Structure formats: structure tokens, C-alpha cells
Amino acid sequence: MIDLSIKIGHLNMKNPVMTASGTFGYGEEYRDFLDLGRLGGIVVKAVTGNNRDGNAYPRMAETPSGMLNSVGLQNKGVDYFVKEIYPLIKDFDTNVIVNISGSTIEEYVAVAEKINELENIPAIELNISCPNVKQGGMAFGTISSTATEVTAAVRKVYKKDLIVKLSPNVTSIQEMAKAVVDGGADIISLINTLLGMAIDADKRRPVLSTVTGGLSGPAIKPVALRMVWQVSKAVKVPVIGMGGIMNATDAIEFILAGASAVQVGTANFIDPGVTMKIVEGIEAWCGLHKVGSVKELVGGLIS
Amino acid sequence: MIDLSIKIGHLNMKNPVMTASGTFGYGEEYRDFLDLGRLGGIVVKAVTGNNRDGNAYPRMAETPSGMLNSVGLQNKGVDYFVKEIYPLIKDFDTNVIVNISGSTIEEYVAVAEKINELENIPAIELNISCPNVKQGGMAFGTISSTATEVTAAVRKVYKKDLIVKLSPNVTSIQEMAKAVVDGGADIISLINTLLGMAIDADKRRPVLSTVTGGLSGPAIKPVALRMVWQVSKAVKVPVIGMGGIMNATDAIEFILAGASAVQVGTANFIDPGVTMKIVEGIEAWCGLHKVGSVKELVGGLIS
Amino acid sequence: MSGKKILHDLVVLKNEHLNKWHFILELQAPELLPQFLPGQFVQVLVKDSPSTFLRRPFSIHGFDPVKNTIRLLIQIKGEGTSHLSLLREGDKLNVMYPLGNSFTLPSGKNVLLVGGGCGVAPLLFLARWLKEQDVKVTILTGWKRKEDIFEKDVYLQCGEVLVTTENGSEGEMGMVTSHTIFKSDRTFDRIYCCGPDRMMKAVAHMAKRKGIDCEVSLENTMACGFGVCLCCITPTNHGNQRVCMEGPVFSTKELGW
Amino acid sequence: MSGKKILHDLVVLKNEHLNKWHFILELQAPELLPQFLPGQFVQVLVKDSPSTFLRRPFSIHGFDPVKNTIRLLIQIKGEGTSHLSLLREGDKLNVMYPLGNSFTLPSGKNVLLVGGGCGVAPLLFLARWLKEQDVKVTILTGWKRKEDIFEKDVYLQCGEVLVTTENGSEGEMGMVTSHTIFKSDRTFDRIYCCGPDRMMKAVAHMAKRKGIDCEVSLENTMACGFGVCLCCITPTNHGNQRVCMEGPVFSTKELGW
Ligand SMILES: Cc1cc2nc3c(=O)[nH]c(=O)nc-3n(C[C@H](O)[C@H](O)[C@H](O)COP(=O)(O)OP(=O)(O)OC[C@H]3O[C@@H](n4cnc5c(N)ncnc54)[C@H](O)[C@@H]3O)c2cc1C
Ligand SMILES: Cc1cc2nc3c(=O)[nH]c(=O)nc-3n(C[C@H](O)[C@H](O)[C@H](O)COP(=O)(O)OP(=O)(O)OC[C@H]3O[C@@H](n4cnc5c(N)ncnc54)[C@H](O)[C@@H]3O)c2cc1C
Ligand SMILES: Cc1cc2nc3c(=O)[nH]c(=O)nc-3n(C[C@H](O)[C@H](O)[C@H](O)COP(=O)(O)O)c2cc1C
Ligand SMILES: Cc1cc2nc3c(=O)[nH]c(=O)nc-3n(C[C@H](O)[C@H](O)[C@H](O)COP(=O)(O)O)c2cc1C
Ligand code: FES
Ligand code: FES
């Protein structure tokens, strides 16, 4: 028997495979394709203080081995979430984590306070990195002092596990990691999307209504792996790695680079059952390589 | 007749298609595949103050729609270049530009001074961004004050066109662009490679001897386009765009985003004749879209 | 609305090239197909195209519950559709279905279907379905030239067929939107329309003026196709709606067209 | 050394599967092929594999100037070679050639060729070439099991063939490097060796002890294959050398092995 379980912070996970915020809805749409109870955790899409319509269409551009999105945090706000969504998801047999976002520190704090009351939500993931929203989003995740500040403010009101999700659009990811640990982060997750742009040459226009958007998918995997490796060496808190994971080998690469768990994002769009294959693939890989517990692999790079 | 010619700084180019440093050797190896005289320009690989052996093998990893390299500026130094290489390339019927690199400001200045003496080299490209060399490279291109400083120092001794090539591994590419313009750059080129990493899961080892390396190819195109667009709006000097260009449409996207010329890098490895196809493709595209001169396209995004 | 979503490897029974730019894939499922409704679509994985990362959405053009097959009418646009055009009999294709809502029944028994370009794809299935419900169907399709026209015979089995060609080589000369039927006093209980946005908006506009109900099928670009990415949204009078879930079929009233 | 480099679409004449993991592609050129030398290689573009970005290098396994064909012996390793294994007669393949240096003639007339795994690829061409120059060839190859052995008959046409299998089902049991020939007092004017680095190093070591000249063919990973990227370098006693230009064939003395 191979032991796939992992503990990060206070989160007990059946296996290290989670789903990434914004790519898994509230889990509901995936029920046709997989058993949510077999996931290590799911991170639901960003919740903000109030209703947000998000950005105008078009919000998507396909790129080589990836895609750009500029969804822009479309959601109905935290009160709607607490009242309408939480009851639907609170009994999922997995760790249900809420990704929260805001334009001001006050908004982050307000949302965190309300989520803190929800018994079956063991952790929040602070999205200080979404590049789609003009105000706030960009700045929090790219200036270390601001990152510390927002983390500390949320830390004060949030009593359970506080995951902070880093933006890759920075000169030094280690500096950002240290900044959020200083602010009180229990866990770091990374990477969010790289800021990119697509142009439709024939129409002579940007493809996205917002001109720029967030790049995800296998194209960003090398950057993500590098950052996970750098961060896991720079800080002591556990790291959740993501960026372009399409299969079990990719997941194992992130774990070897230092991640205690991984999140799968864009791959879910192409194969909504991919996370199950990744769980099974990690198990098979461990069997083949005579690894008894996936814990042994975390940061297990020979270099 | 479609006019493909473009003037950037004092450089008169037959067309906007150049080759990127480190991907075109000294041009010699490409003679079997194309007529160098039909290129807008070629940027030869990095020249440093002294001989450098570069990094240990392995120096390359294939990644989704891209590759990582950690060649590490292998070259025989500026004196060898002046004596042995320059005579071979000085009569190429195109703009031959020398990419220069160093670990200290003194090294940059020393190399620039020597290249300044070479009559048939109309410009240098200052590589302040190579992520492969531990000392120097990283810092120059990622701290704006240092970028200004090295540019200004070279500016003092270099009398012809000074191109400064930016690193994409920064929080604000606009800030870096302004910094090198402040230092006296005539032209900005971007992007150099994104810092990334590859892992061989089965061997549990990083693929590259240096662990991290520079990501190039189509995977980085969305990031490159975004940065070219941002920089061309932030500064007044002309911009040379690159990053993942594989065909004429890609090249036109960069021109629409604000580039006056483009450089083709990794694509040359896969199809050494690709630059000729790009030149012809731009001409055909202009014909189809009734564009009389490629100059009209520069920054010609409707947004 | 739609049932449980499935991912399956379907087998290519036939790849029929209609003209240079259009072909029909007939695909057979290993298990019983769900009861598809007209307007629904599938998401196809294009495996062997290096530049095709996401799935590609295509409407159900035909559905044969007896043969357990679906037919997709595909226009070659870029890399993905080019690769699909090369599929051979026996090849497998990974497909997700059933996706999206569907066209609805009209209040009366007399409708007009308008298709421009590849917009005809969902209309054949719709026409057959309407005919089964005893609705009288008139089908108006627009083409570049007479030589481009395909499948006219099968449409004729469903009702009256009107045609426009840009060069006038068959039917009326011009675009579908300038067909005399819109200027005539013929009226319908509903107009169903698929095609480029501009064409659909023009038809919606004419329908509105005549007070005719109108349903259109949108083709917003999609990342997932099953409601999770929020990339395909369209603004409606009740907020942003997902074209892949609440659509692709919308009444033009909802869209405020 | 090598002539003008060319990019051409070659036609697949035959795709012969030798066993589960090995196949031979016979490729015909539209124009006269250059006079290939043993040890040289080609760079192949794998078009329909989404995860294969760079070209893939393969040694010339056979060269027939009359039929104007080359043969590549390919081992399935990952995505690229899997896709190549599916090629059918008549398919086209974009290939760059001729690349690299080549094996050289020995000082005497009695040589040993050692190949492990897919390292046999360049040895057949080499064996035939040596035989044409009246060199006496002994060929030692290593395999997992008797069933895996292929092309023994063609090697027999070139000289004596020695075999090792890991399970002893044919020839000597063990690895090539433990074959008794290395312990015997047989001597050679040169040993040529291809295979995994570790195997080549072991052979080089034994050759050195016996004072026998040794040439090996390296398979460093390559981005370009024609000398411009500097990714494929190997350290030698005259500095870093490009395996794709100054190699792939090196004398083990140069390599300091
Ligand atoms: C719900 C739905 C149903 C559809 N049904 C059909 C159908 O039955 N038959 C059919 O042929 N096509 C249909 N389409 C459109 C089809 O999905 C696209 O043409 C196809 O994905 C293009 O793929 P490609 O790789 O060949 O082109 P790409 O290389 O991806 O694109 C080529 C060009 O087409 C444009 N393009 C791509 N997708 C779309 C789109 N969705 N809308 C507008 N422009 C686009 C791109 O911007 C680009 O300019 C449908 C789309 C949707 C959303
Ligand atoms: C000069 C030269 C000549 C060669 N000749 C032959 C030949 O005649 N026949 C043959 O079958 N192969 C030969 N090879 C090796 C062949 O190029 C690789 O096996 C092939 O590129 C793998 O492609 P892939 O996409 O199937 O595997 P990938 O998916 O790219 O890789 C699969 C696995 O193989 C490893 N791998 C890939 N390339 C190499 C390499 N060059 N060396 C070591 N490990 C590698 C990867 O690290 C990975 O673990 C040669 C290589 C070189 C450099
Ligand atoms: C359509 C889309 C929407 C996303 N929305 C969010 C979000 O709301 N909050 C967030 O923190 N990250 C969001 N992300 C980022 C992902 O969670 C993830 O960090 C990123 O996509 C990289 O992983 P991947 O390459 O596996 O997709 C979104 C990504 C996509 C593609
Ligand atoms: C193998 C390799 C070597 C490179 N060497 C250099 C170099 O010496 N100096 C430099 O400024 N850029 C160097 N680059 C970066 C390229 O010039 C270019 O900026 C980058 O590859 C992005 O363009 P591309 O995606 O078209 O390759 C190198 C890139 C590669 C792939
Ligand atoms: S395409 Fe993803 S929600 Fe519609
Ligand atoms: S592979 Fe590029 S120099 Fe050898």
C-alpha cells in the first residue's frame, strides 16, 4: 500500500492533488466526471466583497500550449456565497478551500471574516495576484510591503489555515514569499497566471477585451517549477505548487521541486477527469519507483 | 510594390526581420539555408571580455512549446572576436550587430570600446538580462538603477547605435525600459528568456546542470507581446520585439504591438530557413491587407 | 436541462468532404448516446495538432439514435479543423457531450430557419425535429456561389428551401439578410437563426420590427464548454450568462438585440 | 567536412517494425542524396506530436545511393519517436542532413564494433563501409533476450557476430561489457562503440588498458543539430566541442575517457 496522504498546516489530505481556483467552479459541474471525495482538496473560485460582473467578452485566447483569460473575478459576492453556495458544497468529502480576493485591504478582511464563520471551510486562499483587476489585484501581489500588510490584516481575523497565493509577475518570488510569511501565512501556493497578451493580426486588435490577461497551462510550467523550487528553499512554510500540470509526471516534478501538494487548473477544461488520472498516476509512479509514501518525495530532488 | 524597409535609430534595414543573439551563431552555419543579405539584420552571439567556457552539459531541456537553455555565454572573448570573427562577418550584406555581455560594468565598457572601433558593426545590443550567469547578468537587468548605470557607462564610450535588451524577469518592464532610456539607450530590444526550470522525474534531478535556465519559444510569446506593448507605450525610443516568433503572423503581432523590427530566435533551430519565410510572409500579408509599407503597421493596433 | 455529461472515444464512420472548406464527420459511440436536442453541441479533442490546446466546440448537425451516431458539419478555419478534416474511417475522436441548452418549440406551427455560412450546422437537426412536431418549416440559407451549396436535398425533405448566393448563380442574389422574404408580408411564429453575429443581429432586428419571436445560437469562444471557466459569457437582461450552459441558444429578447 | 546542409521532405517507403520498441524507417529523397558517411545523422521534424517542439536526431543506419534512400533505426522512447512509429507508407517527413562528422578508418585491418541497445543504429552502416575498405569486422551486440535480437543476418554479411543477452537465452549471458572477448587476448586495431554513456565509458576503459584505439558516438541532447545553439557540447582535451559538429564521433582520447 502506497501512502498518498499528506498534511499541510492543519489540512489532512487524502492525496496531494487539489483543483485550482477559477478552473473548477464550485465543484458541481465536475460531478459527472469524477468523485470529488477522491480529491485532496478543491479550491473554489474567487469570492469578493460584493457582486462582480467580471470583464467584457472576449475573455479568452488560446496560445501555444496555454491560454489567456481575463474573467476578472466574476462572482456574486461573499454574502451570496455564504447563503447560496456554501450549503451546496459544505458536505463534500474533501477539503473545500475558498479563494478570496478584493480591491482593498478592507474588502479582503471583510470576506475573510465571513468565511471564517463557515465551519466546513478549513482554509482560505488569499488571491493577492490576479492580474485581471485593475485596482488592487496587481499591486498587492507585486509589492512586498503591501503583500505583508494584506496578509497580516487577514491573519488578524482569520483563525484557520491561511494560504497566500503568489503572483509570478515579480522580480523576486522569494522576496514575496518571505513577505507573506512575515504577514502570517501558514501555507504558500503558487503560481497564479503570468501576465500576457494575444493579438488577432487579421483584425489588428487585441483578442481580449482587457488587452492583457493571465497565461496558464503547460507553457508556464517551467516558470512555475522554478518559482516553487525557489520559494520552497526560501521559506519554511509548506508550499502548494501549480502551473501547467497536465498529468502525474508533471505533478511529481512539482513535488520534487518542493511542493507538498499541487493544484490542477487549466487541464480540467480539456479533461474534466484529469485529477483522478493524476491521483492514480502518482500512486503508480510511487509503486514503480518503490516510494512508500508521497511525503518522501517532497523536495526530494537530487542535485 | 510593398515597402518592407524600416529605419530604427541610424540603422537602415531592408525589412524588419532580424535574428536573435545566441540562436544564429555568427551567421556562417546558416549560409546553406538562406541568403544573409535578405535579412534586416543579424545579432551575433554574446561577446564578453574574456574567454568563457559556459556552463556544463546538459544545457538544454525541451518544454511544452519551448525550450530551456543554460549555455552561459560560451565565447572566446572580445579580442578573439575582433581578430578572428569580425573579418569573416564584416562584409555580410546586412546589419551585423554584436550582443555584448559582462559580469561587471568595467567588462561591458571594455567590450563596447573595442566593438566601437569596428567599422562595419553599426550597433551593439547590450545583454543586461542573461539569467544564466550567476554574477552580473541577473542583477543588471532586474534593478532599474543598475540598468541605468551600465547603460550610461557604455553610452559614454560607444558612439553608434546602442540597443539595450531587457530581461522579462521583472515586476515592471516599463520601469526597466525607462531606466535604460535614462541611461542613453537608442533602441530597446525585448524579451530575453524567462527564468525557468525542468525536472526529470524518473531521475529525480533537474535536467539542466545549472538547475535553472532561460525559457524561449512560442510558450513565451504572450508574455513577450504584452511587454513589447507596454514598453512601446512607455518610452519614445524604437523597440525591437522578440519571443516565440515562429512565422509571419507572429512577427506582425509584435509589430502591431509596437515593435519596429523583430528578432527570430529559437525558431531558427527548427527551421533554419524560417526567417526568409517570415520576410516573404510579411510581404504577402501586407499585400492581402493593402498595406503599402510595413512602417504603417508599427503600433497599429486598433484598441 | 441536459443530462449527465460524458467523455467518450467515438469512432469515425465516415468523413465526407462536401467542398474545399466543409466536411461532415459521422461518429459512432461505444455506448448508447443520450437523447440529443437540436442546438446542443459537443467538445472535441484534437490530438495531433501541436497548436490546438483546448477542445473545439461543434453543434450537432445530425443525430441518429438507431445507428447510435452523431454528425458534425465542420468548416475548416484553422489548425484544429484542418486536422479534423484529415481523419480517416476507424480513427477515434475524444468527445464530450451533451453540452448546452437547445432550441425551443414555437408558439405556432410556422417557422423560418435562417443560416449563413457554417451557421447551417445546427439547423438541419432543428428542421427535422420541428417537422416531427408538425411544424411547417421554411429554410433560408446563404452561400457565396451555386457550387458551394450542399445538402439542399435533405433540407428539401423538411420544408421549403430558399437560397441566396452572393453572385446570384442560384436563388436570389445577395446576402440572406437581404432576401425578399423579409420585405414580403409573409409572417412566422418564430425565426431561428445561426451564423456570424452581424448576420444574426440583422435578422433579429428585422424579426423585432415584424414582432416575430427569434432564437439565435451563439458561438462565443470557449475554454471549457461545460460551465466552469466563465470565458464564454454574453450579457443578457438577467446578467452575464454562460453561452455553453445557459446557451448556446438565446431568445434575442434576452440578449437585448 | 560534411557537405552543404539540406532540408527536404523525404517520403516514407517503408516502416518496418522489428519488435515492440524498434522500427526502421526507409526514406526516399526527391533529389540526389549526398554521399553519407557512417556516424553522420539527420534531424527529423515530428509534425503531429503536440509535445515535440524540437527536431529529433537519428543516426544513418543504412544508406542506399542507388535507391536514393536512407534507413533510420529508431527506438521508441517518448512522444516524438511514438509518433514516428505510426508513419505510413507515402507519408512525408521533413529531414535535415547531412549532419555531424563520421567514423574514421583504423590504422590496421582488424576492428571490433560494440553496440548496446539502440546504439547499434550507426554500426550497420559503419560495418558495411569498413568491409568495403577490406577491414575485417567483428561485431558485438548486447540484448535483453533472444527474442529482442534483430538484423543479425545483415550483420553476419559484414563479419563475425558476437552476442550477449541479459538472460543468457542467446550468446553469452550478461552485458556487452562483460563479454569474454574483452578478457581474451584477441586484439584489434580499433574499437568502435555506440550506446549508453556508461557502457561506452566501460568499453573505452578496457580499450585503453589494452592500448587499443577507440572511437565512440555520443548522443548528447540537441536543440539545433547544426552547430548554432551550443547546447550539445562535450568537454574534450581541446575545450568544449559541439557533438553535432565536431562530433558525434570522438576518439576516447579526446574525451579523456
Ligand atoms: C457552441 C459552438 C458551436 C459551434 N458549432 C460549429 C459547427 O457546427 N461547425 C463549425 O464548423 N464550427 C462550429 N463552431 C465554431 C468552431 O468551434 C470553430 O470554428 C473552431 O473551433 C475553429 O478551430 P480551429 O482550430 O480550426 O481554428 P483556430 O485556429 O482556433 O481559429 C481560426 C480562426 O477562427 C476564429 N475562431 C475560432 N473559434 C471561433 C469561434 N468560436 N467563433 C468565431 N471565430 C472563431 C479564430 O479567431 C481564428 O481567427 C461552433 C462554436 C461554438 C462555440
Ligand atoms: C546524434 C544522435 C544520434 C541518435 N541516433 C539515434 C538512432 O539512430 N536511433 C534512436 O532510436 N535514437 C537515436 N538517438 C536518440 C534519439 O534522438 C532520442 O531517443 C529521441 O530524440 C527521443 O525522442 P522522443 O520524443 O521519443 O523522446 P522524449 O520524449 O524527448 O524523451 C524520452 C526520454 O528519452 C530521453 N532522451 C531524449 N533524447 C535523448 C538523448 N539524445 N540522449 C539520451 N536520452 C534522451 C529523455 O530524457 C526522456 O527521458 C540519437 C541521438 C543523437 C543526439
Ligand atoms: C479561467 C481561469 C480563471 C481563474 N480564476 C482564478 C481565481 O479566481 N482566483 C485565483 O487565485 N486564480 C485563478 N486562476 C488561476 C489558476 O488558479 C492557476 O493559478 C493558474 O491557472 C495556473 O495553473 P494551471 O496552469 O494549471 O491552470 C484562474 C485561471 C483560469 C485559467
Ligand atoms: C540557445 C540560446 C542562446 C541564447 N543566447 C543569448 C545570448 O548570448 N545573448 C542574448 O542576449 N540572448 C540570448 N538568447 C536569447 C534570445 O536571443 C532571445 O531573446 C530569446 O530566445 C527569445 O526569443 P525566441 O523565443 O524567439 O527564441 C539565447 C537563446 C537561446 C535559445
Ligand atoms: S466555455 Fe467555460 S464556462 Fe462556457
Ligand atoms: S545541437 Fe546546437 S550546437 Fe549542437
Side-chain angles (χ1 to χ4, degrees), chain D:
Chain D
M1 151 143 331
S2 59
K4 184 177 156 72
K5 293 183 186 82
I6 297 173
L7 272 178
H8 258 315
D9 282 338
L10 306 192
V11 180
V12 177
L13 283 193
K14 213 163 36 180
N15 180 352
E16 192 181 329
H17 283 250
L18 303 171
N19 57 36
K20 201 178 159 198
W21 300 110
H22 295 87
F23 61 100
I24 289 181
L25 287 180
E26 186 172 22
L27 305 170
Q28 193 168 46
E31 290 181 22
L32 198 65
L33 285 168
Q35 196 59 44
F36 283 107
L37 292 169
Q40 288 189 313
F41 67 100
V42 301
Q43 277 271 62
V44 172
L45 188 67
V46 186
K47 258 202 181 137
D48 292 341
S49 167
S51 58
T52 306
F53 176 61
L54 299 165
R55 285 176 183 264
R56 295 293 187 263
F58 301 103
S59 306
I60 306 280
H61 179 59
F63 166 51
D64 186 335
V66 180
K67 277 175 86 180
N68 203 37
T69 55
I70 53 170
R71 285 163 70 89
L72 308 178
L73 168 60
I74 300 177
Q75 181 179 10
I76 298 178
K77 292 269 274 193
E79 283 273 346
T81 48
S82 295
H83 269 75
L84 292 175
S85 76
L86 301 174
L87 285 173
R88 305 182 228 194
E89 209 174 295
D91 284 347
K92 286 187 175 162
L93 205 56
N94 190 267
V95 184
M96 189 193 300
Y97 55 80
L99 302 173
N101 68 354
S102 59
F103 292 105
T104 61
L105 277 179
S107 55
K109 289 286 177 188
N110 180 26
V111 303
L112 176 68
L113 276 53
V114 184
C118 202
V120 295
L123 292 189
L124 181 61
F125 187 20
L126 172 64
R128 285 179 169 157
W129 179 76
L130 288 167
K131 198 184 163 219
E132 273 171 30
Q133 327 274 326
D134 287 323
V135 177
K136 179 171 166 263
V137 173
T138 304
I139 304 154
L140 168 60
T141 56
W143 313 81
K144 269 231 159 65
R145 310 164 307 166
K146 182 187 166 112
E147 300 79 61
D148 295 337
I149 301 177
F150 50 76
E151 294 199 307
K152 193 173 163 186
D153 47 331
V154 289
Y155 286 100
L156 276 168
Q157 290 165 13
C158 305
E160 185 189 357
V161 175
L162 306 171
V163 165
T164 63
T165 51
E166 290 179 26
N167 66 358
S169 50
E170 180 153 340
E172 294 189 12
M173 179 152 113
M175 306 300 225
V176 273
T177 45
S178 56
H179 194 276
T180 48
I181 195 163
F182 295 111
K183 285 151 211 149
S184 75
D185 50 12
R186 274 181 73 172
T187 187
F188 299 95
D189 298 307
R190 177 176 288 165
I191 297 177
Y192 297 91
C193 183
C194 309
D197 266 21
R198 212 164 47 173
M199 182 270 252
M200 291 194 288
K201 279 186 183 157
V203 170
H205 198 69
M206 294 186 292
K208 194 177 181 180
R209 268 203 320 227
K210 288 194 166 198
I212 306 175
D213 216 35
C214 186
E215 271 186 1
V216 295
S217 176
L218 301 186
E219 294 198 350
N220 284 12
T221 48
M222 298 182 171
C224 72
F226 56 99
V228 294
C229 75
L230 305 186
C231 289
C232 64
I233 53 100
T234 190
T236 70
N237 54 19
H238 41 287
N240 279 340
Q241 298 286 307
R242 296 168 297 182
V243 170
C244 70
M245 290 290 279
E246 287 80 43
V249 177
F250 293 91
S251 88
T252 52
K253 271 200 221 90
E254 277 177 280
L255 298 177
W257 284 6

Side-chain angles (χ1 to χ4, degrees), chain A residues 62 200 203, chain C residues 41 52 56-59 73-75 77-82 118 121-122 218-222 248:
Chain A
E62 198 180 20
D200 184 326
K203 296 195 187 127
Chain C
F41 67 100
T52 305
R56 294 293 186 262
F58 300 103
S59 306
L73 168 61
I74 300 177
Q75 181 179 9
K77 293 268 276 191
E79 283 272 346
T81 49
S82 297
C118 203
L218 302 185
E219 293 199 351
N220 284 13
T221 48
M222 298 182 170

Side-chain angles (χ1 to χ4, degrees), chain B residues 67-125:
Chain B
M67 60 173 276
L68 289 164
N69 89 80
S70 59
V71 170
L73 303 179
Q74 178 178 331
N75 81 103
K76 296 203 167 144
V78 65
D79 293 333
Y80 182 89
F81 177 83
V82 169
K83 208 164 143 242
E84 304 292 336
I85 311 286
Y86 177 64
L88 302 176
I89 63 176
K90 74 183 183 50
D91 296 321
F92 286 172
D93 181 23
T94 188
N95 292 293
V96 178
I97 295 164
V98 177
N99 181 275
I100 74 172
S101 201
S103 309
T104 59
I105 293 191
E106 294 68 40
E107 187 178 352
Y108 274 105
V109 169
V111 177
E113 265 183 316
K114 287 178 180 169
I115 304 294
N116 190 51
E117 302 303 311
L118 304 179
E119 197 181 328
N120 291 2
I121 304 294
I124 55 173
E125 182 180 61

